Amino acid sequence: MKYLSKGWILLLILAVAACGRKKGQPRQQEIVKDLRQLDEVVPEQIAERLEYIAGNDGAMEDSIAVFRLSALQYVYQQNNGAAKWSKDGRANAAVSSMLQLINTADDYGLVKAHYHADPLRTSSARLKNEKRDAALWAKMDVFLTDAFLRMAYQLHYGIAPRDSITLRKDSLLSDTVLAGLLQEALSRGNVTSVLAQQEPIHPGYTALKEGIQLYKQHYGNRHWDTLPQAYTDTLQFRHQLGLRLLQSGHLDTTGVGLTDSLALRKAVKAFQNEFNIYPDGVAGKRTIQVLNKQPEDWLLQAAINLDRWRKLPDTLPLRYLMVNIPAFRLNVYENGDSAVESRVIVGNPRTRTPVLNSVMTNFVLYPYWRVPYSIVFKEMLPQIRKNVNYLAEKNLEVVDHQGNVISPDSINWSKLGRNYFPYVLRQMDGLDNSLGIMKFNFSNKFSVYLHDTNNRSLFSNSNRALSHGCVRVQQWDSLAMYMVRHDPKPYIRDSVRTWLVREEKKQYNLTERIPIYIRYFTAELRNHKMQFYEDIYGEDKTLMKYFTAK
C-alpha cells in the first residue's frame, strides 16, 4: 500500500477526534518488508485504531472502554501521531516495567483486566517472532497508552467514582497532565517511579499495602473448602470444620484428631480473634460466613479500602480526629501518631452514622438532649399516647418553640404527628441523660455529634453498631482533656475537672479547632497484622461492581 506522510497521519487523527466513524475491527496484521518502514506504517495503524475506538462508543477490541478517549487522542496528536512505546521495531525500555506493573496490579488494589492484561500479554509474546507486523505494534502501543493513563488516574483517585464527601480539591489530572506523565515515564524508560508519585502518602494507605503483601504471603497460595451454612454438632460437620481450619492453618492436629472438640474450639477462637468475631469458639452463622470467604475475597476487601484512602486529600492536617465506623474506633492523630484512642458505638444499619468531614468546635458538659424528630415519631410518640408518664420515666420535658416548658398533661397527644408537632422533646441533663456527661459538637447537616452515654456496658460488645447515628465515645474524658491541653490558660484542665465534679452545665470552645473525619474502612494493618471488619452497612458490597473484570 502507499504509505501516508506524517502530516496526513496527524490530520487523520484530528479528523478521528472530531467524528469517530463507526467501522469494523481494525486490521489485525500488516507485515512490512523492512523494520525501518514501521515508523511510517505504525502511525497509520494507530490512527485506524483510534477511529475504531471513537466509533465504537469508546470500547477497544477487548470490549473494555478506554479510560478517557480525549486523553488517548491528545497523546497521539503529539509528534505527528508517532508510536509512543517503540521505534524501528524495538520496544521502549518502559514497556517491560509497564507490563510488570499490570501483572502485579492487585498489589496496588487494582484490577489487571482494566489494563488490557490478556491482549497485552498475547501481543508481547507474538512480537518476539513477528517484529515486522505494524498492526501488532500499533495494537500494543494503543493498549499500553490507555493502560498507563488509567493506572495513573486510578492510583491517584481510585477506581470507584468520586463523591461529594471525599471530593478532592487538587488537580483532576487533565489530558495535558496525563500526557506529560506518560512522556516523563517514556523518557526515563521506567514507568514505576512516575506512577508511584500518583499514590497517596498517608501512613494508613502505605500500611494497608504492606498488609496485603503479608496476607498474600500467609494465605495467597491457599484454597479451602466451604462449609454448610447451618451449624450442626455432628461428626460429619466437625470433620468438615476441622478440615477447613486445618487448610487455613488455624487447627493444630499434633497429638489430636481432626474432630477433637477442645482442639476445634481453640481453632475456632483463633479464627474468630483474627477476623474480629466474638471469640466464643462456636462456629455459628456469622463465623461460618467468614470461614467460607476465600483469600481472593479478603484481597478484594483490602483493595476496596485502598481505594477509599485514594479519595482523601493528598495531605491530612497535622492534628485531626478520625472515626472508623466498621472498626468501632476513634483516634486523634498528631504528627502521625495516635494521641487518643477509644472504642465507639456507631449507628445501626437502619440509622447509619454518616461519612463526613467537619471541624470540632466545642464540647458541652452535662448537656440537654434534644430528641430528633425521627426518634420522636417512630419510637416515643406511640409510647406517650399509651402512657404520658413515659416522659417522666425517660427524664424528658416538653418545650414549645418559644422555649417554654409545657406540662405534658395539657397536651392532646392523639392529635400530634409528623404533620403537626409544635414541640421539642428534651432530655434533662444528668447521669441518666442519653448523651451522658459530655457532648462534642461539629457542624454537619446530619445533626450528629460525639458524646458519652448512660449505657456504658455496651462498649464491651464486639458489634457496636447500636446507636441512632451519633457516635458514643468510651474515653470521652481523655478526649476532653486532650482538647483543652492546647489552651493557653494553664488552669483550664483543672477547671474542667472541677465542672465535672460539681456537675456544672458548661460549654468549652476550642482554642484550636480540630478537623474530624468519619470514615468507613473495613480493612487495615494494625499492630503488624491485617485486620478485617464486618461490612456493617453493606458499603463494600456496593463498591464491588467497580472491581469486576470489565
Side-chain angles (χ1 to χ4, degrees), residues 10 13-20 50-51 53-55 68-78 81 145 149 175:
L10 178 58
I13 292 174
L14 293 172
V16 166
C19 62
L50 292 178
E51 182 181 8
I53 294 167
R68 190 191 295 162
L69 181 58
S70 62
L72 196 62
Q73 292 168 336
Y74 181 82
V75 166
Y76 285 107
Q77 287 169 18
Q78 316 305 309
T145 298
L149 299 178
D175 295 350

Side-chain angles (χ1 to χ4, degrees), residues 180-208:
L181 291 174
L182 175 60
Q183 183 56 46
E184 182 184 355
L186 294 173
S187 298
R188 293 185 185 184
N190 190 315
V191 301
T192 306
S193 58
V194 175
L195 289 179
Q197 293 172 7
Q198 303 310 309
E199 292 189 86
I201 58 173
H202 307 307
Y205 174 87
T206 304
L208 184 51

Side-chain angles (χ1 to χ4, degrees), residues 139-415:
K139 179 178 181 178
M140 184 92 166
D141 211 85
V142 175
F143 275 78
L144 282 169
T145 298
D146 183 64
F148 178 92
L149 299 178
R150 188 189 301 273
M151 189 172 286
Y153 184 92
Q154 290 186 340
L155 282 173
H156 198 61
Y157 292 115
I159 295 174
R162 302 166 72 188
D163 56 49
S164 59
I165 299 299
T166 54
L167 188 62
R168 295 168 51 165
K169 297 180 180 179
D170 52 352
S171 166
L172 294 178
L173 289 184
S174 65
D175 295 350
T176 305
V177 171
L178 286 170
L181 291 174
L182 175 60
Q183 183 56 46
E184 182 184 355
L186 294 173
S187 298
R188 293 185 185 184
N190 190 315
V191 301
T192 306
S193 58
V194 175
L195 289 179
Q197 293 172 7
Q198 303 310 309
E199 292 189 86
I201 58 173
H202 307 307
Y205 174 87
T206 304
L208 184 51
K209 278 181 63 181
E210 178 188 341
I212 288 174
Q213 292 305 308
L214 292 174
Y215 185 86
K216 280 186 171 183
Q217 291 169 17
H218 195 66
Y219 294 115
N221 296 322
R222 301 192 189 195
H223 183 85
W224 37 74
D225 301 327
T226 57
L227 298 170
Q229 193 60 58
Y231 170 77
T232 53
D233 190 15
T234 64
L235 183 62
Q236 181 183 2
F237 180 83
R238 289 201 299 274
H239 184 274
Q240 291 174 300
L241 177 61
L243 183 60
R244 163 62 185 85
L245 292 165
L246 186 66
Q247 289 169 333
S248 59
H250 292 91
L251 176 63
D252 181 5
T253 56
T254 304
V256 296
L258 195 63
T259 59
D260 181 84
S261 297
L262 290 177
L264 278 178
R265 188 174 184 85
K266 182 179 179 181
V268 170
K269 280 188 175 182
F271 178 85
Q272 290 170 329
N273 279 317
E274 181 174 351
F275 290 93
N276 290 293
I277 306 169
Y278 180 71
D280 58 4
V282 178
K285 180 179 179 180
R286 168 68 182 151
T287 299
I288 293 174
Q289 286 176 343
V290 179
L291 280 164
N292 284 342
K293 292 181 70 170
Q294 296 295 327
E296 57 268 25
D297 298 324
W298 294 113
L299 290 172
L300 173 58
Q301 184 168 329
I304 288 170
N305 284 277
L306 281 179
D307 212 65
R308 290 186 172 118
W309 278 109
R310 293 180 180 121
K311 300 297 188 290
L312 288 171
D314 281 344
T315 56
L316 291 171
L318 294 178
R319 192 165 65 109
Y320 64 94
L321 187 153
M322 175 83 78
V323 173
N324 185 359
I325 296 171
F328 308 123
R329 191 179 70 249
L330 171 153
N331 289 92
V332 177
Y333 292 102
E334 186 168 348
N335 297 318
D337 296 322
S338 180
V340 178
E341 181 172 316
S342 175
R343 289 187 173 199
V344 298
I345 293 168
V346 300
N348 67 60
R350 299 176 67 180
T351 55
R352 302 179 178 187
T353 295
V355 172
L356 58 79
N357 313 321
S358 189
V359 178
M360 189 168 291
T361 57
N362 64 71
F363 62 78
V364 177
L365 284 73
Y366 296 96
Y368 288 123
W369 179 40
R370 181 188 178 281
V371 184
Y373 284 117
S374 59
I375 299 177
V376 170
F377 299 135
K378 187 175 182 179
E379 299 179 21
M380 293 186 170
L381 191 54
Q383 298 295 327
I384 297 170
R385 286 170 178 162
K386 292 178 183 178
N387 182 5
V388 74
N389 290 327
Y390 172 88
L391 291 164
E393 292 170 2
K394 297 297 182 181
N395 201 23
L396 294 165
E397 58 184 7
V398 184
V399 182
D400 65 17
H401 290 317
Q402 285 72 47
N404 303 310
V405 177
I406 307 299
S407 170
D409 295 322
S410 66
I411 300 172
N412 186 344
W413 293 96
S414 64
K415 293 186 176 181

Side-chain angles (χ1 to χ4, degrees), residues 5 45-46 63 141 152 199 259 293 314 329 426 514 545-546:
S5 69
Q45 289 281 348
I46 290 173
S63 300
D141 211 85
E199 292 189 86
T259 59
K293 292 181 70 170
D314 281 344
R329 191 179 70 249
R426 185 174 71 184
I514 300 178
K545 62 184 177 182
Y546 300 106

Side-chain angles (χ1 to χ4, degrees), residues 90-153:
R90 293 189 303 274
N92 186 297
V95 172
S96 61
S97 62
M98 187 70 224
L99 292 176
Q100 176 63 19
L101 276 177
I102 293 172
N103 190 50
T104 58
D106 54 350
D107 289 345
Y108 300 84
L110 304 176
V111 182
K112 294 180 185 180
H114 288 178
Y115 312 107
H116 318 290
D118 288 341
L120 278 171
R121 183 169 50 252
T122 302
S123 298
S124 178
R126 284 179 56 195
L127 278 172
K128 293 178 181 178
N129 300 314
E130 303 175 34
K131 292 185 180 295
R132 291 187 294 116
D133 190 342
L136 193 54
W137 281 110
K139 179 178 181 178
M140 184 92 166
D141 211 85
V142 175
F143 275 78
L144 282 169
T145 298
D146 183 64
F148 178 92
L149 299 178
R150 188 189 301 273
M151 189 172 286
Y153 184 92

Side-chain angles (χ1 to χ4, degrees), residues 362-367 429 437-439 441 495-496 498-500 502-509:
N362 64 71
F363 62 78
V364 177
L365 284 73
Y366 296 96
D429 62 323
I437 293 175
M438 193 169 290
K439 171 187 174 186
N441 291 313
S495 296
V496 172
T498 300
W499 298 336
L500 288 170
R502 293 177 180 174
E503 299 185 8
E504 294 186 40
K505 183 178 177 63
K506 293 280 187 177
Q507 176 173 312
Y508 173 81
N509 296 318

